[in-house]
Every structure is written in C-alpha cells, then in structure tokens.
Amino acid sequence: MTTTRHARRRRRVIAAGAAGGAAFVAARRRRPDATAGRRIAPGPRGHFLVGSLPEIRKDNAQTFLDGWREYGDIVRYPGAFDIYCIAHPDHVKHILQDNHRNYKHPPFLNRKLREIVGDGLVTTEGDYWRSQRRLTQPAFHRQRIATYGTLMTDETALMLDGWREPAERGETVDMRVQMMHISLTILAKALFGADWSEQLAVMEPAVTVANTHADRRLLSLVDLPLSLPLPAFRRFNEAKRTFDAIVYGLIAERRRSGEDTGDLTSMLLAARDEETGAGMTDTQVRDELMTFLMAGHETVSAGLSWVWYLLSKNPDAWERVCAEVDEVLDGRVPTVDDLPQLRYVRMVVDETLRLYPPLFVIPRTPLEPEEIGGYDIPAGNTFIALCPYVTHRHPEFWENPEGFDPERFTPERSAGRHRFAYFPFAAGPRKCIGDYFGLMEMQFVVAMVAQRYRPDLVAGFPVSPQPAISLRPRHGLLMTLSPRSRERRPG
C-alpha cells in the first residue's frame, strides 16, 4: 500500500515537472523574438532550461567556432538571454562602425569589470566615454608612444640577461609567465615612471590576484557580494587596496610637485578637454590607469606567448625571423626606426594575432532591434558576440585559414582584403586605444629574443587555448632556451 502510494506520488511529481518544463519551453517560444513572421537565426536548440550556456561557459571560443561551421555567419544560442555570434566582416563593420551607437557593452559585464578598473574607457558609455576618450587620446599618439621604445628594449634586455643561466643549464621556463612579467613591467613603467621597480614588486602579485578574480567573475552565473568573508574575495579586496594605495599615492605626489616626468600618468594629469577645459579628477585618472594596466599587459603577454608557440612549431618561419633580425640589426639593439625594416617580424605578429587574438570575443548589446543578414536581432535581453577567433578563420577571406602563414600579410596578398576580416584590437570608434603600443612592444620583444635565444616547446607539453579574460595558453607554455651565437646565426 505504501509502495503504491509512493509510486502514485512519484508519477504526479514527474507529470508536474514535465508540465512545468513544457510551460517554460512554450513561454520561451512565445517570446517576442520568436513570433510568427519574423526570421530567427539558426543555431543549436540547447537545453530546455539553460540553453547553450554550459557549452559557452566551458569554452566559448570553440563553441562559437563550432556553431559557425554548422550554422553559418549568424548563430543564435538560446537561453535565459539569447546570444548571437556574428562572424561575417560586413556585419562586424555594421556593428562596430556603421551603427555603433546602437550597440553598447553589456551592462552585466561592465558591472563585473568595474570591480577592478572602475569607470575607465572599457566600462563607460555615451558622453562620459567620449569625454574620457578625448582626454586620453593624446597620451597614445604614435609619436608619443615611440618615445617608449628605449624603455621597451632596456627591459627586454634585462629579461634576456636573466635567461642566461637557465639556458646554459638546459632548464625549462614558462614563457607565459615570462611574457606576463615583461609586459607588465614595460606597461607599468610607461604608465607610472621608469623608477617604478620597487612599487612594481608589490603590484605584480596583486595584478595576478585581480586577473584570477576577473576570470572567475566573468564566467560566474551569480555574483555574490565582495563583502562576504570568502578567501578569494579577501584576496581580491586586499589586491584592490594595494592598487589604490600605490596609484592614488602617486597621483597625489604628482599633483603636489606639478612635475611632468614623461610618463602616461603625467599626461593624464595635464590633459584638458578641448571643449570644456576640464581636467580629470583623481578617481578618473586612477580608473584609466588601472584600465590600461589590466587590459594592456594581459593582451600583450597572451599574444607574445602564442608567438613563441607558433614559431616553435614552424621552424622555417623561425629561421626567417632570425635571418631578418640578423640582417637588419647586425647584433645591435633595435630602435623604433628599425621596425619598418623588420617586415617579417611584423607579419609573424599579425599572423599570430589572427590565429590567437587575445581579444577573442567583443561583446555588445543592441539598444534598438534591427535586421542583420536577413535575421531579426532583438533589443534588450540580447548578447552579441563578435568573435575575431571565428572571423579570422573565415575561408571567404582567408586561404588555408587554420595554417600559420605570415606572408598572407604581405601588401600583395593583403590587397583587397575586407578591412573587418581582421580586427584583433576591435574596430570603429572604440578600437583599442593602445594598439600601437602593444604592436611596437611585441615586435621589439620578438626581435631581441631572436638575437640571443631559440625557444623550443618541451616535447609532449599540452598546449590549448584558454578563453578567459584573454585567449591564453591553458597550461602555460613550458619551453627550453637555446643560446644563439653569432657563428650559428642563419644568414
């Protein structure tokens, strides 16, 4: 009797659950973007409760690539909010340039990033963003950035000197860690001043904690208050206090002295809006400095890591890099004037950013609905994912898209290519303000490493992309360093 009663109850629960699930699905199908007469983009059906969110959280870059291969240039991933991966360069141009005012950063992502960088260029919109962009743009003028060439080469030379003993002993190094250190060192000294070594020793571990926090926070479904006494939250809050104490202290010191030390902090403090004549508050300066620091070093370090992986897997390309470096530089330290002659080095950098763009997803949310590629894109609860990782593999614009071919960036082969088939630094009015700084740094580091060492991936070491705050090697990048003597250099 008891068993029969339990069985009847179980059947009722199952039936109720099925009815509830059916009601959820029916409600989702009745949503405005799926009403009759509208053309809905194709895509996977996903789980009836959570849609495609589990696959996207696990590996969004690969999920978007697989979806594009199966469904085409516009793929809809259903869920609590719909995600549209849009891959064709025409549509990328429309969203990032032609109709950019209709597309803003998703508010929920901005909330997460504000925890770290505050109201910097990445997290703000509208008139405030435009004002801040006007104020910060002169600091990233090409002529101004060129003055940091010596800083970049000096710091790279110190890193290479530190590799001497591990190379001679045949020890392995994690090139991902090495590239994080050099990119953070260069950027911090450009931002805060060349005499910043002592503060950098305190700042570097705090940056690591902040990056870890950002990785977790961006993928979390529920954002718990940072005031909760959880170990991870305590570490992040302490790291943030470290940032603020150092950066606000530096800002106060600069305001007192009025000295222009030639770094980017001095430029931001001196900047005045050409329309209003207003300068930045201490908080505005702090937020922009933290934005540049966190976003700039992470993307450059990830890009450089992939350079060493690809050159290790493509020895012919490595030999060409060495030959060009030896011919152009003849053993001396490169300068900004040498960069135009290091053509193959630049093509290697460009091809690396094509295959493994650190900024691998560019998120947007439409303010007003519109049609793209014949499909309705609703406004409101919609997430647009522009994915350079996918677009950079589009066979309509890239021959042998999965192959490593730096010469695809020669002027002859680049002629006529769609401008938005390649956008590793985003594009349009919100293109990355530090793109020239990052490219210059990457070329210097590649050229100087090639003068002195050959990095080789440890046999059997697993390498796969990890889509996090940037697209980085998931397990690091364990390599050996073989010294290059003048006699052994090719050419």
Side-chain angles (χ1 to χ4, degrees):
M1 185 71 175
T2 302
T3 302
T4 303
R5 188 163 56 248
H6 284 327
R8 286 199 299 268
R9 183 182 302 167
R10 184 171 180 271
R11 285 195 295 270
R12 286 197 301 271
V13 170
I14 292 173
F24 179 90
V25 172
R28 196 172 76 182
R29 287 175 177 166
R30 289 195 300 270
R31 283 161 51 175
D33 64 322
T35 53
R38 303 187 70 176
R39 191 168 177 211
I40 309 304
R45 295 182 63 181
H47 189 273
F48 80 100
L49 285 176
V50 295
S52 300
L53 194 58
E55 294 82 5
I56 291 173
R57 290 186 72 238
K58 181 179 179 181
D59 189 338
N60 49 16
Q62 189 62 46
T63 298
F64 292 149
L65 185 63
D66 292 341
W68 166 72
R69 286 170 172 164
E70 183 170 356
Y71 298 105
D73 287 334
I74 300 180
V75 184
R76 175 177 174 263
Y77 297 88
F81 54 88
D82 285 349
I83 297 174
Y84 289 78
C85 181
I86 297 180
H88 196 281
D90 284 347
H91 305 148
V92 173
K93 178 176 181 290
H94 176 79
I95 292 169
L96 293 184
Q97 179 170 294
D98 297 342
N99 197 26
H100 69 92
R101 292 183 183 275
N102 188 47
Y103 293 90
K104 65 178 182 179
H105 286 195
F108 76 94
L109 284 182
N110 280 349
R111 285 196 300 271
K112 295 169 184 280
L113 291 173
R114 279 195 185 99
E115 294 174 354
I116 304 173
V117 301
D119 289 318
L121 288 178
V122 170
T123 58
T124 53
E125 303 284 346
D127 291 340
Y128 183 86
W129 173 83
R130 281 186 283 274
S131 174
Q132 288 298 102
R133 181 81 180 204
R134 285 196 303 269
L135 285 167
T136 56
Q137 189 70 54
F140 288 89
H141 190 279
R142 288 198 173 202
Q143 291 180 339
R144 178 79 182 195
I145 294 303
T147 64
Y148 297 112
T150 301
L151 166 63
M152 294 177 180
T153 56
D154 285 349
E155 294 301 326
T156 303
L158 289 174
M159 177 184 71
L160 300 180
D161 289 342
W163 289 0
R164 184 180 297 114
E165 289 188 10
E168 290 174 349
R169 292 195 296 261
E171 297 175 356
T172 58
V173 299
D174 188 336
M175 288 293 275
R176 165 69 180 154
V177 173
Q178 295 292 319
M179 295 304 101
M180 288 181 66
H181 176 73
I182 187 62
S183 64
L184 180 60
T185 301
I186 288 172
L187 185 54
K189 291 191 174 184
L191 289 173
F192 305 121
D195 58 348
W196 223 63
S197 300
E198 185 176 337
Q199 294 94 328
L200 183 60
V202 177
M203 179 76 88
E204 189 164 6
V207 169
T208 301
V209 170
N211 277 338
T212 301
H213 172 81
D215 289 343
R216 292 173 179 167
R217 202 70 161 173
L218 290 175
L219 292 174
S220 66
L221 297 179
V222 178
D223 292 333
L224 298 174
L226 292 178
S227 57
L228 290 178
L230 300 176
F233 289 0
R234 284 200 299 266
R235 287 192 294 271
F236 170 71
N237 287 328
E238 180 59 33
K240 189 174 180 181
R241 285 191 290 270
T242 298
F243 293 149
D244 288 348
I246 293 175
V247 174
Y248 278 123
L250 176 68
I251 292 171
E253 178 186 329
R254 294 291 174 79
R255 287 209 189 274
R256 281 195 302 269
S257 69
E259 180 183 3
D260 182 355
T261 58
D263 53 38
L264 293 172
T265 298
S266 295
M267 288 207 67
L268 295 182
L269 290 171
R272 293 292 180 272
D273 190 297
E274 60 185 20
E275 295 183 4
T276 67
M280 293 191 203
T281 65
D282 288 359
T283 299
Q284 287 174 315
V285 173
R286 178 267 181 201
D287 290 350
E288 298 303 349
L289 290 172
M290 294 311 302
T291 298
F292 301 151
L293 184 70
M294 298 302 299
H297 101 275
E298 173 66 26
T299 52
V300 169
S301 64
L304 281 169
S305 298
W306 289 116
V307 167
W308 304 123
Y309 168 71
L310 289 169
L311 287 177
S312 178
K313 302 293 285 186
N314 294 272
D316 289 346
W318 168 254
E319 295 298 329
R320 286 199 57 181
V321 166
C322 292
E324 179 178 82
V325 166
D326 290 346
E327 179 182 353
V328 173
L329 301 178
D330 193 27
R332 61 181 173 79
V333 175
T335 68
V336 171
D337 292 337
D338 293 313
L339 295 182
Q341 282 69 55
L342 294 170
R343 297 182 182 90
Y344 192 74
V345 169
R346 172 60 188 268
M347 288 190 287
V348 164
V349 169
D350 287 341
E351 176 70 342
T352 299
L353 297 179
R354 183 187 72 84
L355 284 170
Y356 298 106
L359 189 64
F360 63 99
V361 171
I362 299 169
R364 293 291 188 267
T365 291
L367 300 176
E368 299 291 337
E370 64 174 339
E371 180 183 295
I372 297 179
Y375 297 110
D376 289 313
I377 306 297
N381 202 25
T382 300
F383 183 101
I384 302 293
L386 304 176
C387 192
Y389 187 78
V390 174
T391 304
H392 291 180
R393 287 167 165 76
H394 202 303
E396 186 178 336
F397 306 96
W398 303 100
E399 180 184 354
N400 183 24
E402 292 291 348
F404 179 69
D405 180 10
E407 288 188 273
R408 71 173 80 242
F409 285 95
T410 60
E412 296 77 17
R413 291 177 60 184
S414 297
R417 184 180 296 140
H418 198 301
R419 282 184 56 204
F420 288 79
Y422 181 71
F423 58 115
F425 297 97
R430 297 196 70 134
K431 184 180 180 181
C432 174
I433 198 171
D435 59 341
Y436 183 69
F437 186 104
L439 286 170
M440 188 170 79
E441 178 183 347
M442 291 180 72
Q443 291 172 84
F444 277 136
V445 172
V446 172
M448 292 182 68
V449 170
Q451 286 181 309
R452 295 177 57 178
Y453 298 98
R454 175 184 177 126
D456 287 300
L457 187 69
V458 170
F461 187 80
V463 179
S464 62
Q466 179 188 21
I469 195 171
S470 70
L471 191 68
R472 61 173 78 112
R474 184 179 300 275
H475 307 291
L477 199 62
L478 207 58
M479 309 192 86
T480 57
L481 300 168
S482 302
R484 288 190 66 223
S485 66
R486 289 289 295 174
E487 293 74 25
R488 291 173 55 203
R489 292 180 188 179

